[in-house]
Amino acid sequence: MEMASISSSPRTVEEIFKDYSGRRAGILRALTYDVDEFYGICDPEKENLCLYGHPNESWEVTLPAEEVPPELPEPALGINFARDGMNRKDWLSLVAVHSDCWLLSVAFYLGARLNRNERKRLFSLINDMPPVFEVVSERKPVKDKPSAAESGSKSKGSTKRSSDGQVKSVQKPAEESYEEEEDEHGDTQCGSCGGNYNADEFWIGCDICERWYHGKCVKITPAKAESIKQYKCPSCTIKRGRP
């Protein structure tokens, strides 16, 4: 098998971020919704196994690539060996940390030819989503298995929560073009600063008045939004607090 040159297939920021988001969603699925299946596959009696997240939001536990150097950076090797020697939660958190490192290394590799501003934009998008470790270590209860679109809902930066705490994405599925989202929400303005919607930034919608805000304007991070069951903007909070 001939290795593909990193210069033979230039990638845009949007393409690399979509690849990252898909792989991240696959790994999150393995470590949360499919965790019992994942745990069972990681038999310490087997050879060195790796956890791969694929761009289509699927995951796979398998042997590492045989070619050296590999076509892409490889995940942590031998994650299965420590499975029975650690607390299950600690082991999953350790796999999550290594998976975060792998996701970033793949993004770095694919973005090797990006310029300084493009790299800054790419990692700003990545940084708007909580790392796999943060999601896995908090072990939030999950009521329903997500669709592929919901798995990547944080990847576009804009989410809205219903009263039961489930994330409702206002975006199209990740498989559809990244640019369509800009068109769909381009006329949305922040209820705090009045700025127009920008897919590169994290936004949150108020469940009371349904206005949208920059996360930074209302001091809400993507990680903090994960734990909010019903978000009330500052204006609605003040109104509700009045006698």
Side-chain angles (χ1 to χ4, degrees), residues 14 121 124-125 128 156 178 182 197-202:
E14 288 73 22
R121 186 155 61 94
S124 175
L125 289 170
D128 276 343
K156 299 297 188 294
Y178 185 85
E182 286 277 13
Y197 175 82
N198 183 342
D200 290 352
E201 298 179 281
F202 172 71

Side-chain angles (χ1 to χ4, degrees), residues 15-123:
E15 288 172 334
I16 297 169
F17 182 62
K18 184 177 180 180
D19 180 275
Y20 173 92
S21 299
R23 293 178 189 275
R24 174 183 176 276
I27 288 173
L28 274 176
R29 186 181 295 275
L31 298 179
T32 54
Y33 307 105
D34 298 339
V35 67
D36 290 335
E37 180 184 353
F38 168 71
Y39 191 85
I41 292 174
C42 291
D43 185 346
E45 298 300 318
K46 294 181 180 178
E47 297 181 67
N48 287 286
L49 296 176
C50 298
L51 170 61
Y52 293 85
H54 297 303
N56 65 356
E57 302 188 8
S58 66
W59 61 274
E60 179 183 16
V61 171
T62 187
L63 298 171
E66 292 183 1
E67 67 266 21
V68 177
E71 185 175 348
L72 286 175
E74 287 289 295
L77 182 66
I79 57 170
N80 51 310
F81 292 149
R83 189 195 73 177
D84 293 348
M86 297 177 65
N87 172 279
R88 174 166 159 153
K89 181 179 178 180
D90 292 341
W91 177 72
L92 291 171
S93 294
L94 184 61
V95 173
V97 169
H98 282 290
S99 296
D100 279 320
C101 294
W102 176 67
L103 289 169
L104 285 173
S105 69
V106 172
F108 260 112
Y109 184 88
L110 297 176
R113 297 196 175 271
L114 297 179
N115 63 37
R116 179 180 177 181
N117 288 334
E118 288 171 331
R119 287 196 305 272
K120 184 177 180 180
R121 186 155 61 94
L122 172 62
F123 290 103

